[in-house]
Amino acid sequence: MAVVLPSCGAEGPDAAERGEFVCTVERTADPIARTLTSFGEIASTSWCLIAPPEVDGRVPGPTDERLVGVLAGADAQVVRDLLRERRGEFVVTAPDEIPAEISELLPEGAEWVESQAFNEEATGALYEGRFYFDKKSNRVLFDCSNPVRKDGPPPNVVVG
């Protein structure tokens, strides 16, 4: 079901020295609830923020941060309502390139669907993000690049 990025999931202090990305699973719901506001109150979540490693005090190459994880809303009805109300928008899909640390936490036998229209609405077109809904467990798998709260201040842009 999931293809694991070879650069994710590096273990130990030497990972950053080798220039590898590290996925350390967090379970604090507050940062996810503040950023991904489309799902209401978050009951539980497991996620990791994968940032380029700092080597010698500087960040090499691209500086995109990737937020990937799975969440369950406090009210499963929120997800059920989204799926029902927007039923024609969702297509069956298989998430790919999910870090092993998150893949192993996904519900067994999940039936993932995704809506491009919902992705654009949830991100406010401020960042790249994909949201996969499991019709069986009402869980949401999210995979975002440089996420910001869509109703918050605009992201900082540094030019030059």
Side-chain angles (χ1 to χ4, degrees), residues 58-141:
R58 60 184 175 87
V59 178
T63 57
D64 289 338
E65 292 183 324
R66 180 177 178 208
L67 177 67
V68 60
V70 62
L71 66 83
D75 182 359
Q77 193 63 41
V78 171
V79 171
R80 285 192 292 268
D81 287 348
L82 280 167
L83 288 168
R84 187 185 70 250
E85 293 165 5
R86 303 176 82 150
R87 131 181 66 230
E89 296 176 13
F90 284 93
V91 296
V92 175
T93 189
D96 61 355
E97 298 183 353
I98 304 301
E101 294 83 353
I102 299 299
S103 288
E104 65 190 28
L105 303 173
L106 299 178
E108 186 116 0
E111 294 180 11
W112 297 111
V113 294
E114 177 187 27
S115 164
Q116 187 60 38
F118 178 81
N119 290 346
E120 292 171 12
E121 180 182 306
T123 64
L126 295 171
Y127 61 93
E128 293 293 321
R130 296 182 74 179
F131 301 90
Y132 305 91
F133 292 73
D134 176 22
K135 296 190 302 184
K136 293 168 84 177
S137 71
N138 296 311
R139 298 210 187 273
V140 178
L141 170 65

